[in-house]
Amino acid sequence: EMTGENLAWAAIGVGVNIASSPPEGTSLQDCAVLTVKLEDVREAFLQNLNDLYEEWRQSGFEIIRQGWLRRACKIGTPVTVKTGTGTEAGAFHGIDEDGNLLLTPASGNRKKITAGDVYFQ
């Protein structure tokens, strides 16, 4: 919730498949050369979240967005997104200046998705 120019609070929902995943997903354990421990993932996640929050407060979102885009994989590949109102399918095209997922369906009209479960095909 924004109060003036200050962030009063934020609710963040994040899911990380550490040791197992649904059939269509991938876990960190599947990708790692070493064994992945929940405690290590939690500590790294919280430290990075704090660091990025401070960077956002000092410099704004664009620098974080650019870093995210440099590291993003599978841009341009087909995805399905399950939202609260249905399912969208198309090509994944990154995130916009507000952090919305950009999806280009077969119709060609790019859409902004604010929340949903993303499944790469």
Side-chain angles (χ1 to χ4, degrees), residues 2 10 14 21 63 98 112 114 119:
M2 296 294 287
V14 177
S21 65
I63 193 166
D98 295 319
K112 295 180 182 182
T114 57
Y119 300 92

Side-chain angles (χ1 to χ4, degrees), residues 77-83 86-92 103-109 111 113 119 121:
T77 62
V79 295
T80 300
V81 182
K82 293 182 182 177
T83 67
T87 301
E88 302 279 350
F92 168 56
L103 180 76
T104 305
S107 67
N109 297 323
K111 296 183 175 188
I113 310 283
Y119 300 92
Q121 300 171 6

